[in-house]
Amino acid sequence: MHESLINYIERHSTQPMSREDIEQIKSVFLPKKIRKKQYLLQEGEVCKYAAFIVKGAMRQYSVDDKGVEHVVQLYLEDWWVTDRESFTMLTPSAFNIDAWEDTEVLLISKADSVELMKIPAFNEMGRILDDKHSFSSQKRINAFISHSAEQRYIDFLTAYPEFLQRFPQHLVASYLGITKETLSRIRGQIIRK
């Protein structure tokens, strides 16, 4: 299970890892199996762990006053899952994170993640992921304020084609900020073109 994580770190860093580095990383990441629809985090809890997905699919979402779910993020294998604000600031989360499929993750606590930053490869990976997250957030915000629903769907389809195989239409629609009926109409229009 840890091999996926080690391979991921090696792909996202130019720094070599010693055998001791790898053993230290393996020693602090705890394996956990999460059943479909089981929570990793519930609204109001403090996010105590970041998770690396080895196998499965998860979603992060909020629920409004009317009980409507709003998907903030979708995750598959080789993705990191956490509520960054709650994990970093140790504040109650505004989000739920649950498994959409039976999922296997490796969990790390905040204290252990800080300790691993002393490993150059892990530190470099963390910086690269922070940059990618920032870029992705900027693009998503820009898309919401300046792109049509159709363009947001096309961009999503281009960037994450595998998500359409793993997540149902209503979750993809929520992630895109549209109704599932609008998504059906857009998909139909694209097929007819």
Side-chain angles (χ1 to χ4, degrees), residues 122-149:
F122 193 85
N123 186 297
E124 182 182 12
M125 177 208 65
R127 287 192 326 271
I128 289 169
L129 291 180
D130 281 346
D131 286 346
K132 285 183 176 183
H133 181 266
S134 179
F135 303 153
S136 177
S137 294
Q138 284 178 332
K139 286 179 183 176
R140 189 160 180 214
I141 291 167
N142 185 58
F144 268 95
I145 59 178
S146 63
H147 295 168
S148 67

Side-chain angles (χ1 to χ4, degrees), residues 71 74 148-157 163-165 167-192:
V71 175
L74 300 170
S148 67
E150 181 177 352
Q151 187 59 52
R152 290 197 308 271
Y153 176 70
I154 291 168
D155 292 346
F156 178 82
L157 181 62
F163 280 43
L164 298 175
Q165 309 303 316
F167 294 103
Q169 190 168 317
H170 74 278
L171 290 185
V172 172
S174 178
Y175 176 83
L176 295 172
I178 59 178
T179 65
K180 64 182 180 179
E181 293 79 16
T182 299
L183 181 56
S184 288
R185 182 179 47 75
I186 290 169
R187 291 175 72 177
Q189 290 171 346
I190 290 171
I191 289 170
R192 286 191 293 276

Side-chain angles (χ1 to χ4, degrees), residues 26 65 173:
K26 287 181 177 181
D65 294 340

Side-chain angles (χ1 to χ4, degrees), residues 62-95:
S62 63
V63 180
D64 68 20
D65 294 340
K66 296 178 184 175
V68 177
E69 294 179 357
H70 300 278
V71 175
V72 175
Q73 191 59 264
L74 300 170
Y75 307 95
L76 294 177
E77 291 85 2
D78 282 356
W79 282 61
W80 292 89
V81 180
T82 194
D83 175 347
R84 292 170 63 97
E85 180 180 1
S86 178
F87 184 71
T88 302
M89 305 301 292
L90 302 176
T91 55
S93 178
F95 301 103

